[in-house]
Amino acid sequence: MGAGALLVFILAIGYHITPALVGGSDGQLISNMIAYHMQTSLNWGLAAALGGVLLLVVLVLYAVYERLLRVERIGLG
């Protein structure tokens, strides 16, 4: 269950296609903001900073997850 939750979280954190198709691309999701600044406004510095913030948040959440569930003990079967 823990491995499944981790896989879903990893896929959901950077997904910007589904929210763009369902609710439009003007939502305030960080992946949409990164894509906008990379493709439309060409502000690559801000896109890199947002990508760094996203990476930092994911690493902190992963560290908390690992501390709570001890990921190395999750076996493949």
Side-chain angles (χ1 to χ4, degrees):
M1 190 164 200
L6 183 62
L7 286 173
V8 169
F9 173 74
I10 289 172
L11 290 175
I13 194 71
Y15 227 129
H16 68 276
I17 298 298
T18 303
L21 291 175
V22 174
S25 61
D26 58 344
Q28 293 296 321
L29 300 172
I30 193 164
S31 59
N32 288 350
M33 291 170 44
I34 292 170
Y36 170 77
H37 289 297
M38 287 292 290
Q39 298 168 350
T40 305
S41 73
L42 300 177
N43 189 352
W44 289 22
L46 182 57
L50 288 173
V53 168
L54 179 62
L55 178 65
L56 181 67
V57 167
V58 168
L59 289 176
V60 166
L61 288 174
Y62 180 76
V64 169
Y65 178 84
E66 197 277 323
R67 183 172 280 263
L68 291 176
L69 294 180
R70 299 289 178 207
V71 174
E72 69 270 359
R73 291 189 303 162
I74 297 175
L76 294 176

